[in-house]
Amino acid sequence: MLRLNAKYVFFTNGINDIGHYDLCHGALKVALWHGMPLKRLYYASNNLRKRNKNNIRFCQYIIVKLYNKAQRDITIATSQKTKELLIQSFEVQPDSVYITGQPRNDVLFDIGVVKKVKQKLNHKPEEKFVLYMPTWRQFGQYEGFLDNIVIGLNNDYSFLNKLTDNKIKLYIKPHPRVTIKSGSNKNIIMLGSISDIDPQELIASADMLITDYSSVFIDFALLERPLHFFVPDLDNYKNDKNGIFLSFNDFSDFWVTDLEILKSAILNEKPYYEYGIKNCIKVNSVYNDPNLEKGNYSKTVVQSLRNNAENNSQLWNLISG
């Protein structure tokens, strides 16, 4: 009944977020999405970009068009560049994409949340909080990707001792679609089994973030802390069925492909701290509009909907009721 009577709905993945069947016809659908794009999405993916030269891809494109659960009336973005990428991804009109920032990032500026996370993890005030959050990869050849990295870290006793000496805790949060066999030790903590800590809360708590192609790097850059990219499979990833929109040098000055260099970055050895800060600055210059007020993205979304609806009587009727 709530869906049938809704005047507007918000989703982060697709209309299935609020039910298996789309009962929201007539409501204004606002796509908050679950991150800004580095990966190519939907109609901009490597596969579907071949639709004019490949009959199979053309049929796939038509099917996605007809049965797309991520259809929307309004899309939010974090900058002019992300607006352009979202337009390509979902083939929407430019005036339906609002640059507001992401509501999910309001929590990054909540000191109380950070305190609770560190208490739950028994993280001591004097310890540095390093967070590694890689995205998922296609299964098969990549199935053991993260386990192999963790094994490489755990087998280096000199590295583990340096973590202790420098009071560094490395927290590894696998993507929900990835199963990890490796366990935790006193220096490296696997967070796969902890389901009641939101990823954004972990990001807010981190003194340093290491990731790859996950959009969490865009969120974390707002905090202006060291940011590193570990991408040993960059060539393969950018050529897979989805691909990535930008070259790494478009939004970063430094990225890592070697495990030994990753260890130095984790240990915050010179000059890696400076590299991490430069990465953060460059990410923000591309992905995060400096005119948006940090910590008030939810308010900005609502205000943008209201402002734009005032110029469109149909939308205004939906929002104002």
Side-chain angles (χ1 to χ4, degrees):
M1 185 61 69
L2 289 174
R3 284 182 286 164
L4 289 172
N5 291 314
K7 296 183 178 179
Y8 50 96
V9 295
F10 298 82
F11 65 79
T12 58
N13 293 282
I15 200 65
N16 285 353
D17 286 356
I18 49 179
H20 186 68
Y21 299 103
D22 183 3
L23 301 178
C24 302
H25 293 287
L28 185 72
K29 298 175 182 176
V30 182
L32 304 179
W33 209 234
H34 48 281
M36 293 296 106
L38 170 60
K39 304 174 190 176
R40 289 184 172 275
L41 304 169
Y42 278 78
Y43 308 119
S45 68
N46 282 344
N47 270 5
L48 293 189
R49 289 167 70 205
K50 302 173 184 176
R51 58 184 178 266
N52 293 330
K53 298 180 180 179
N54 184 308
N55 290 335
I56 293 177
R57 298 305 177 204
F58 179 76
C59 291
Q60 185 181 7
Y61 171 78
I62 295 300
I63 291 171
V64 173
K65 270 287 188 181
L66 291 174
Y67 299 101
N68 181 6
K69 298 296 184 181
Q71 291 179 4
R72 71 280 305 282
D73 300 302
I74 300 295
T75 303
I76 67 164
T78 57
S79 69
Q80 182 60 38
K81 173 55 71 174
T82 60
K83 176 175 179 175
E84 294 168 5
L85 301 182
L86 289 165
I87 290 169
Q88 292 182 51
S89 295
F90 298 105
E91 296 188 346
V92 293
Q93 294 301 313
D95 60 1
S96 72
V97 183
Y98 303 164
I99 300 175
T100 63
Q102 298 176 96
R104 73 180 194 172
N105 286 335
D106 287 348
V107 72
L108 298 183
F109 305 95
D110 189 332
I111 298 175
V113 164
V114 173
K115 184 178 180 180
K116 289 178 182 178
V117 168
K118 291 186 176 181
Q119 286 178 341
K120 184 172 184 61
L121 295 174
N122 296 315
H123 185 87
K124 299 176 182 178
E126 67 273 15
E127 293 174 329
K128 297 181 180 68
F129 192 122
V130 178
L131 179 63
Y132 177 33
M133 290 184 68
T135 191
W136 78 286
R137 286 142 172 85
Q138 298 296 323
F139 298 113
Q141 60 176 320
Y142 293 115
E143 197 159 357
F145 176 84
L146 183 54
D147 262 319
N148 290 334
I149 292 170
V150 176
I151 290 170
L153 296 175
N154 279 330
N155 287 345
D156 187 338
Y157 296 107
S158 174
F159 170 70
L160 295 179
N161 288 333
K162 288 178 181 178
L163 289 179
T164 299
D165 293 342
N166 289 281
K167 297 181 179 179
I168 296 173
K169 288 289 181 68
L170 174 60
Y171 297 91
I172 300 178
K173 176 63 175 174
H175 190 280
R177 298 178 71 174
V178 174
T179 300
I180 294 297
K181 299 176 183 177
S182 302
S184 301
N185 56 49
K186 70 174 184 177
N187 304 105
I188 302 176
I189 297 92
M190 305 301 298
L191 298 175
S193 62
I194 298 178
S195 59
D196 59 342
I197 300 180
D198 186 271
Q200 299 307 103
E201 297 176 350
L202 285 173
I203 295 170
S205 305
D207 298 308
M208 176 195 300
L209 176 70
I210 301 160
T211 187
D212 41 31
Y213 320 101
S214 170
S215 64
V216 296
F217 76 84
I218 301 168
D219 305 349
F220 183 78
L222 292 166
L223 296 171
E224 301 178 355
R225 300 169 189 167
L227 168 63
H228 291 290
F229 299 97
F230 182 51
V231 288
D233 58 344
L234 178 56
D235 289 338
N236 288 334
Y237 197 92
K238 67 185 181 182
N239 292 316
D240 76 0
K241 71 175 187 177
N242 289 322
I244 57 179
F245 274 113
L246 305 177
S247 297
F248 262 71
N249 56 14
D250 290 333
F251 59 87
S252 63
D253 287 324
F254 177 78
W255 55 95
V256 179
T257 59
D258 180 82
L259 186 61
E260 294 306 310
I261 297 178
L262 175 65
K263 294 173 186 176
S264 295
I266 292 170
L267 294 170
N268 217 20
E269 296 175 354
K270 291 184 178 180
Y272 297 105
Y273 176 84
E274 289 81 6
Y275 290 160
I277 292 296
K278 287 181 179 179
N279 278 345
C280 175
I281 293 170
K282 196 164 184 179
V283 166
N284 281 331
S285 72
V286 175
Y287 279 100
N288 291 310
D289 189 324
N291 296 312
L292 297 174
E293 184 181 357
K294 291 182 178 180
N296 278 312
Y297 302 119
S298 298
K299 180 179 178 181
T300 305
V301 169
V302 173
Q303 189 60 51
S304 295
L305 289 171
R306 184 182 183 94
N307 290 344
N308 284 275
E310 288 175 347
N311 297 320
N312 184 315
S313 59
Q314 180 182 2
L315 297 186
W316 176 246
N317 289 336
L318 286 171
I319 292 177
S320 65

